[in-house]
Amino acid sequence: MDRHIRIEYAVGVIFDFRISDTAVGQLESMLHEWAPDAEITVDDDVTDELPMIPCASLWEP
């Protein structure tokens, strides 16, 4: 199942992507380390227009 992930950086840049349910936990953990000021939300609001997160296979367990 895919999920919607929104990554909002403190400087105002916002990214919306589709990500697999299995990869979202690993990506969230890494993003908190790399950008502790980023706000990350994950929900089920997946649409066909959402692009897959770049390099999606890197976040798969």
Side-chain angles (χ1 to χ4, degrees):
M1 178 171 128
D2 285 345
R3 307 289 304 275
H4 164 236
I5 187 168
R6 172 170 278 199
I7 306 161
E8 187 171 352
Y9 292 96
V11 295
V13 179
I14 299 172
F15 295 101
D16 289 293
F17 294 109
R18 179 186 298 236
I19 188 169
S20 75
D21 194 39
T22 57
V24 75
Q26 179 145 350
L27 177 60
E28 263 188 299
S29 175
M30 291 300 233
L31 281 173
H32 283 300
E33 287 181 31
W34 293 336
D37 60 338
E39 185 176 325
I40 302 161
T41 55
V42 178
D43 57 42
D44 294 326
D45 294 335
V46 178
T47 65
D48 291 337
E49 293 80 30
L50 277 176
M52 280 301 285
I53 193 143
C55 304
S57 64
L58 293 174
W59 310 113
E60 291 294 334

